């Protein structure tokens, strides 16, 4: 879509100038603005973020931008699903009033000599940061750009990308960014699989294998509830849940506040997993 278009009460804006003008008008009316940053291919997980934003704010802007700087050279940038028309419906029916869908050139007019936000190594050299080098530089950079373009009062992120959420909160704290970051719970389908745009790549058989990832996490929770605390002992039992074809990239236990790896489970432990199922990389987590 090249220029601003309306579909009933939703506006799609493609340029920074258009969105800034719209935001200026809303701010003049003292509207509280909520931003839901996304890469599109919206599912019920995004819908829940938009709904939450609509409850908390007067106007909800959803950004839809497949951000190239957060994809590594061998990742799925080109095949990442793009479906603006369907996404518009999700935005509209959950209470958003504006979609900001810029082109790559609008956000990165020159890909040379770009100033990046570099989150601390301490937060990057764990979990997804280990296999996705530079990923969080790309995420933090684009999120800060969106914050500077839209100046939202609040921004809504899913807990599924727990490391991303922690890094964005840290960026806001360290750089005095006046945006309230709202963490929203993971949404799962009936079989327990955490919703993700990448689930669309799974075959029926792949999906059946994938649900053993959440079974593993819930088994850990169950074992903790029965009094088991040792990571080693818990994993000895819980790992049996995982389908044998699944390639585990990491399964880490971290304290949610210090982001330190731990061996004894306690309250506020993030248990995060990344795994590949038939070449589809999936992540999931629970918080004890
Ligand atoms: O979580 C996502 O979809 C992306 O990482 C985000 C936050 C929209 C930045 O591109």
């Amino acid at each position: 879509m090249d220029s601003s278009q309306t579909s009933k009460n939703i506006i799609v804006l493609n340029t920074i100038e258009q969105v800034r003008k719209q935001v200026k008008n809303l701010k003049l009316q003292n509207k509280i603005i909520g931003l839901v940053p996304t890469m599109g291919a919206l599912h019920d997980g995004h819908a829940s973020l938009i709904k939450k934003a609509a409850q908390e704010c007067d106007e909800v802007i959803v950004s839809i931008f497949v951000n190239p700087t957060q994809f590594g050279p061998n990742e799925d940038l080109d095949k990442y699903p793009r479906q603006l028309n369907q996404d518009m419906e999700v935005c509209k029916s959950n209470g958003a009033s504006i979609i900001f869908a810029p082109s790559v050139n609008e956000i990165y007019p020159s890909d040379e000599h770009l100033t990046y936000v570099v989150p601390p190594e301490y937060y990057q050299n764990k979990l997804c940061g280990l296999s996705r080098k530079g990923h969080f530089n790309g995420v933090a950079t684009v999120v800060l750009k969106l914050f500077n373009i839209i100046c939202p009062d609040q921004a809504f992120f899913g807990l599924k990308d727990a490391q991303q959420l922690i890094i964005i909160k840290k960026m806001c704290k360290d750089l005095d960014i006046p945006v309230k970051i709202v963490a929203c719970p993971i949404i799962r389908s009936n079989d327990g699989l955490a919703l993700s745009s990448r689930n669309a790549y799974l075959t029926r058989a792949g999906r059946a294998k994938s649900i053993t990832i959440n079974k593993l996490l819930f088994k850990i929770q169950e074992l903790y509830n029965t009094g088991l605390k040792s990571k080693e002992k818990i994993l000895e039992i819980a790992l049996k849940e995982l389908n044998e074809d699944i390639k585990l990239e990491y399964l880490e236990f971290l304290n949610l506040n210090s982001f330190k790896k731990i061996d004894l489970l306690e309250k506020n432990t993030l248990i995060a997993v990344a795994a590949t199922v038939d070449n589809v990389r999936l992540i999931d987590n629970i918080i004890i």
Side-chain angles (χ1 to χ4, degrees):
M1 257 170 251
D2 309 331
S3 56
S4 48
Q5 301 184 13
T6 37
S7 157
K8 283 200 183 143
N9 49 358
I10 194 140
I11 329 172
V12 180
L13 304 172
N14 304 116
T15 70
I16 294 172
E17 197 188 332
Q18 286 169 340
V19 82
R20 281 209 166 123
K21 205 168 141 198
Q22 201 72 24
V23 165
K24 196 171 166 192
N25 276 335
L26 294 172
K27 296 238 166 184
L28 281 173
Q29 299 167 53
N30 287 326
K31 300 277 192 198
I32 305 287
I33 298 177
L35 169 66
V36 181
T38 81
M39 297 205 299
L42 304 183
H43 49 63
D44 285 352
H46 298 109
S48 76
L49 300 180
I50 300 170
K51 229 180 244 163
K52 174 80 176 159
Q55 282 163 8
E56 304 291 320
C57 306
D58 300 318
E59 299 286 339
V60 179
I61 304 180
V62 177
S63 62
I64 297 182
F65 178 64
V66 183
N67 173 37
T69 62
Q70 69 188 77
F71 286 78
N74 299 317
E75 294 184 353
D76 55 346
L77 174 63
D78 293 336
K79 76 165 186 173
Y80 199 86
R82 288 157 172 90
Q83 45 177 60
L84 190 56
N85 286 338
Q86 275 163 263
D87 290 348
M88 278 170 68
E89 286 308 311
V90 178
C91 292
K92 201 164 63 173
S93 57
N94 289 285
S97 53
I98 299 171
I99 293 175
F100 177 47
S103 65
V104 172
N105 194 49
E106 183 70 12
I107 297 295
Y108 301 114
S110 153
D111 59 356
E112 279 183 296
H113 315 302
L114 184 70
T115 301
Y116 272 92
V117 177
V118 181
E121 191 54 26
Y122 178 77
Y123 290 88
Q124 297 216 50
N125 68 8
K126 299 179 173 87
L127 310 181
C128 294
L130 286 176
S131 65
R132 304 190 74 188
K133 290 279 169 219
H135 169 70
F136 290 111
N137 297 346
V139 170
T141 301
V142 82
V143 169
L144 182 59
K145 280 170 79 71
L146 290 168
F147 285 179
N148 285 336
I149 293 165
I150 294 167
C151 304
D153 298 285
Q154 303 185 26
F156 298 77
F157 293 87
L159 267 164
K160 179 164 163 292
D161 296 297
Q163 189 175 14
Q164 166 174 285
L165 179 67
I166 287 165
I167 283 175
I168 288 167
K169 274 192 169 168
K170 179 84 173 108
M171 173 182 82
C172 289
K173 182 168 172 258
D174 290 352
L175 301 182
D176 306 302
I177 300 167
V179 177
K180 180 180 168 195
I181 304 300
V182 182
C184 302
I186 295 178
I187 305 294
R188 300 180 180 279
S189 52
N190 289 340
D191 56 13
L193 188 66
L195 297 191
S196 159
S197 305
R198 291 190 170 97
N199 292 353
Y201 304 150
L202 291 168
T203 60
R204 190 188 280 248
R207 191 178 170 101
K209 291 177 200 166
S210 303
I211 61 169
T212 65
I213 297 172
N214 43 277
K215 286 195 171 144
L216 161 71
L217 289 174
F218 293 130
K219 187 74 189 177
I220 294 173
Q221 172 82 66
E222 189 190 310
L223 292 168
Y224 172 78
N225 292 345
T226 63
L228 218 52
K229 301 280 183 295
S230 150
K231 177 183 171 185
E232 201 185 325
K233 290 216 168 81
I234 286 175
L235 289 185
E236 214 177 284
I237 305 170
L239 274 171
K240 292 183 187 135
E241 297 290 327
L242 200 64
N243 180 284
E244 57 191 18
D245 290 342
I246 294 184
K247 233 173 84 196
L248 204 55
E249 181 184 308
Y250 64 72
L251 172 59
E252 293 288 3
F253 292 34
L254 295 115
N255 179 285
L256 200 54
N257 302 319
S258 66
F259 214 47
K260 262 195 193 124
K261 290 186 188 177
I262 54 167
D263 293 319
L264 278 183
L265 253 82
E266 57 200 5
K267 251 197 159 323
N268 277 329
T269 298
L270 168 71
I271 301 169
V273 58
T276 306
V277 184
D278 301 341
N279 289 324
V280 183
R281 186 178 181 276
L282 299 172
I283 59 169
D284 197 355
N285 68 72
I286 54 168
I287 294 168
I288 298 275

